[in-house]
Amino acid sequence: MLIEAGGDPSFLSTIPMASLGLLGSSLDWQYKTIPNNISCLSSIGEQCRFSRGKSLGGTTAINHMLYIRGNRYDYDRMNISGWTWKDLEPYFLRYEGLQILDQYPASSRKYHNSNGTMKLEYFDDPRNPWHMRTVEGLKQLNIPYNKDLNGEYQIGVTKVAGYVYKGERMSTARGYLARNDVKKNLKVAKNAFCTEVVIDDDNIARGVTVVQNLQKVTIYARIEIILSAGAIGTPQILMQSGVGPADHLQEMGISVRSNLPVGNDMSDHQLPVVIVKVDHGGIVDSLVGLTSKAPQVLQYLASRSGPLASNSLQDIVTLINTNCYDFDLRQYSGNSSRCELADMQIIQSYIDKGLVALAKPLVKQAIGFNDQVLDQIEKANENHGLIVFSPMVLQPYSRGTVRLASIDPLQPPAIFANYLGDERDVEQMVKSITFLEHLMKTQIFKKHKASILHLNLPGCPAYKCGRVEYWRCYARHMTYSGYHAVGTCALTRVVDEQLRVYGVKNLRVADLSVLKNIIRGNTASVSIAIGERIVDFLTEEDNP
């Protein structure tokens, strides 16, 4: 049985272009973090937005659908038997249904599969000139064009494949739960919130307690229980069940079943949101302009094609090692083995001229910045299109925690993300912003009058008074999460190599919380591979 706190995804969630509007919606858990006073300072309440999917398919129902598996070294460095790249690659390939392999170079063939359950394609053309202008600008900084960031090597800029098929989002609900063999053999309890694991006096997991339709029900397992509630939900359920740090559980009045570092060492990609003004070239100049989008809506409804089947500019992805970029010559030179390991990933999105004013409540819901920042963005958007650059820190040093905020399991947990808790992450953000400043100076960006918006932020010096100090302060204000948290129930610390929870029999975890290290890429890819991995663990035990 699959117990899912959310219900069916909405029609809106199937439309690739609508992904931004899903953040902060009813399909999002809308978690908030505990302020650390050094990051997210311009977010509402200084609380970092922490979106997670609340529907069938989890976060794959609301994310940006980008398919990037990370670097092989990310898995090898965990140094755990059964979890190296050689061990995991077959599980990536098992689920991968890449429908565009014929458009990849011949050297990529051995790294891909076309027949898996999760179909992957290119997003449709957004018909936005900045789609290829961005690529051209990056090439002028000597960033190589790499047709396949999941192939022979990971560095470069590309139009990336995504979890989209025939113009619709390919969530795990669509990929797996829609299969006839799954429908036949799996019972799904929707809108059922798991509150704890039932563990007997012999520390054997016997079932789970759920709340559904305001009714509390205990469901017993015939063999074992697998928790897959993600890097936030899984540690919350474990701690409510008495599995976690003994001192914290005792403080909360919960009997300790197994003293483990649950909720510790959370790592997440973090980034500074950078707003770039460009010549308007926009589509939306007024409500009349919005009406002109009606044909695009009709095209999408009729054929699941057109700009609404695109992902705006977000499918243009850049991965580089900033240590291999010459900031004096403004040229990338990936001439050593270390350059293969990216430390920055850039994605971007586009806001048409005048759109912020027309859809301000939706924009505020989606990005979560306070009115002081949002008003400045709105002002800039009056006469300019905006490109929102998100240069992610791929290997952050800062670590956070997840703890219980209440013994009431229906209350959200206490998430202390601690972004920028390590000064080295701030310095990496300043390097990333400097790289974007250089991008603005390329011929194609200058031609279209691109410039970074210098926001007025409390406590920050004026840009002209000190560029580096301004950007350091800016990074602490405009901090944002990549929504890629891992590590809160890590391998060899909370679970063994076969994902069994230490000290509790018949209980396993299979989600991103088990990863010891965050990968250089988008984590949906590895979360699905973990799901495929545990299938073999279970079948191997059933058929020794």
Side-chain angles (χ1 to χ4, degrees):
M1 169 179 279
L2 172 65
I3 296 168
E4 172 59 62
D8 294 311
S10 68
F11 169 69
L12 186 66
S13 71
T14 69
I15 305 174
M17 182 65 90
S19 58
L20 182 64
L22 299 173
L23 301 178
S25 73
S26 61
L27 297 181
D28 182 354
W29 282 103
Q30 301 183 45
Y31 291 125
K32 300 292 192 301
T33 62
I34 298 172
N36 68 350
N37 303 317
I38 54 174
S39 63
C40 302
L41 298 180
S42 284
S43 293
I44 297 171
E46 298 187 3
Q47 295 177 292
C48 309
R49 168 66 62 79
F50 215 86
S51 289
R52 289 295 182 277
K54 189 181 182 182
S55 83
L56 292 176
T59 303
T60 66
I62 68 169
N63 66 4
H64 294 313
M65 300 164 281
L66 303 180
Y67 179 55
I68 301 176
R69 298 188 302 217
N71 193 287
R72 298 171 185 85
Y73 174 73
D74 295 335
Y75 305 97
D76 290 342
R77 72 169 176 155
M78 289 196 295
N79 194 29
I80 299 173
S81 176
W83 290 90
T84 65
W85 173 250
K86 182 178 179 181
D87 297 316
L88 285 176
E89 185 181 23
Y91 298 99
F92 284 98
L93 296 182
R94 179 189 289 179
Y95 77 73
E96 183 186 286
L98 187 65
Q99 304 298 291
I100 51 174
L101 188 54
D102 60 335
Q103 300 180 50
Y104 278 34
S107 60
S108 287
R109 302 291 165 83
K110 65 181 179 180
Y111 299 108
H112 294 286
N113 175 35
S114 297
N115 302 314
T117 193
M118 292 295 291
K119 307 303 181 190
L120 297 154
E121 292 181 335
Y122 285 134
F123 296 92
D124 242 359
D125 183 358
R127 301 176 192 171
N128 186 320
W130 283 102
H131 205 245
M132 295 315 296
R133 286 174 189 167
T134 302
V135 174
E136 179 60 30
L138 289 160
K139 284 182 175 180
Q140 290 174 16
L141 296 177
N142 205 36
I143 305 301
Y145 190 84
N146 181 354
K147 188 75 173 179
D148 181 13
L149 293 178
N150 294 312
E152 193 170 5
Y153 61 98
Q154 194 191 23
I155 296 298
V157 58
T158 197
K159 175 182 167 69
V160 75
Y163 296 95
V164 61
Y165 182 54
K166 295 183 177 179
E168 293 188 14
R169 175 187 292 272
M170 177 55 72
S171 68
T172 51
R174 183 184 179 197
Y176 287 92
L177 300 185
R179 285 170 29 177
N180 289 331
D181 58 337
V182 174
K183 289 179 181 178
K184 181 179 178 180
N185 295 294
L186 179 68
K187 183 176 181 180
V188 178
K190 293 183 288 188
N191 300 303
F193 187 93
C194 180
T195 59
E196 66 176 307
V197 179
V198 177
I199 302 173
D200 68 16
D201 292 339
D202 296 317
N203 268 21
I204 300 173
R206 297 297 186 183
V208 293
T209 300
V210 304
V211 174
Q212 186 180 38
N213 298 324
L214 303 180
Q215 298 292 317
K216 186 176 181 180
V217 180
T218 298
I219 302 171
Y220 291 97
R222 289 188 297 110
I223 302 175
E224 60 182 305
I225 297 156
I226 303 166
L227 293 181
S228 187
I232 303 302
T234 289
Q236 181 183 14
I237 294 170
L238 285 175
M239 287 185 282
Q240 291 284 0
S241 310
V243 179
D247 56 348
H248 175 60
L249 298 181
Q250 290 164 355
E251 179 185 345
M252 300 301 293
I254 296 173
S255 298
V256 180
R257 297 290 186 178
S258 185
N259 179 18
L260 296 172
V262 171
N264 290 358
D265 295 308
M266 185 178 76
S267 179
D268 190 11
H269 292 145
Q270 49 209 264
L271 58 101
V273 174
V274 179
I275 313 293
V276 170
K277 299 184 296 182
V278 295
D279 56 9
H280 66 85
I283 301 167
V284 180
D285 289 327
S286 63
L287 288 173
V288 175
L290 278 177
T291 304
S292 71
K293 284 184 173 288
Q296 297 179 13
V297 175
L298 293 175
Q299 179 183 0
Y300 183 79
L301 292 175
S303 63
R304 295 299 192 264
S305 63
L308 290 181
S310 78
N311 204 13
S312 182
L313 306 183
Q314 294 175 31
D315 60 340
I316 299 299
V317 175
T318 307
L319 286 164
I320 67 167
N321 186 319
T322 55
N323 294 309
C324 300
Y325 176 75
D326 191 315
F327 284 88
D328 294 322
L329 297 178
R330 301 186 180 186
Q331 290 285 289
Y332 188 75
S333 58
N335 55 7
S336 70
S337 58
R338 70 169 183 166
C339 298
E340 166 60 13
L341 299 176
D343 62 7
M344 177 178 71
Q345 176 180 334
I346 303 174
I347 61 172
Q348 50 280 318
S349 56
Y350 187 81
I351 301 176
D352 283 307
K353 174 189 168 185
L355 186 59
V356 174
L358 290 172
K360 194 169 183 178
L362 178 62
V363 173
K364 186 173 184 177
Q365 167 192 293
I367 64 176
F369 287 124
N370 62 31
D371 287 338
Q372 183 178 13
V373 165
L374 197 57
D375 289 346
Q376 293 179 69
I377 295 173
E378 180 184 2
K379 181 68 175 176
N381 188 226
E382 288 178 0
N383 298 306
H384 299 273
L386 302 177
I387 303 177
V388 182
F389 281 93
S390 300
M392 288 196 299
V393 178
L394 289 181
Q395 294 295 289
Y397 291 94
S398 305
R399 293 292 182 269
T401 59
V402 177
R403 293 289 186 264
L404 298 178
S406 167
I407 60 172
D408 179 358
L410 299 182
Q411 295 299 310
I415 304 169
F416 184 64
N418 196 32
Y419 297 137
L420 307 186
D422 190 305
E423 188 68 25
R424 287 173 291 184
D425 294 337
V426 179
E427 296 309 311
Q428 180 61 40
M429 286 189 181
V430 173
K431 287 174 66 176
S432 299
I433 296 171
T434 302
F435 179 85
L436 292 178
E437 287 183 310
H438 293 177
L439 182 62
M440 298 306 109
K441 299 299 183 182
T442 60
Q443 183 178 355
I444 190 69
F445 275 76
K446 286 195 297 184
K447 179 180 178 180
H448 294 280
K449 302 174 184 177
S451 64
I452 295 178
L453 177 61
H454 296 147
L455 296 166
N456 293 317
L457 300 168
C460 294
Y463 177 83
K464 62 182 179 181
C465 295
R467 175 190 157 276
V468 172
E469 284 308 311
Y470 171 79
W471 286 130
R472 284 182 180 137
C473 186
Y474 180 101
R476 294 196 181 279
H477 275 267
M478 299 296 287
T479 330
Y480 216 72
S481 168
Y483 307 138
H484 295 158
V486 305
T488 49
C489 300
L491 280 155
T492 71
R493 294 197 287 259
V494 175
V495 297
D496 68 12
E497 290 85 347
Q498 293 194 323
L499 304 181
R500 296 172 293 208
V501 176
Y502 290 124
V504 181
K505 191 175 181 182
N506 297 345
L507 179 61
R508 301 195 204 222
V509 172
D511 57 37
L512 290 172
S513 69
V514 305
L515 283 188
K516 287 182 71 173
N517 308 313
I518 197 163
I519 66 167
R520 293 169 168 83
N522 297 67
T523 50
S525 59
V526 65
S527 69
I528 302 171
I530 291 168
E532 291 284 359
R533 186 77 176 101
I534 200 169
V535 169
D536 277 4
F537 289 149
L538 297 173
T539 54
E540 287 165 5
E541 290 193 2
D542 287 343
N543 303 285

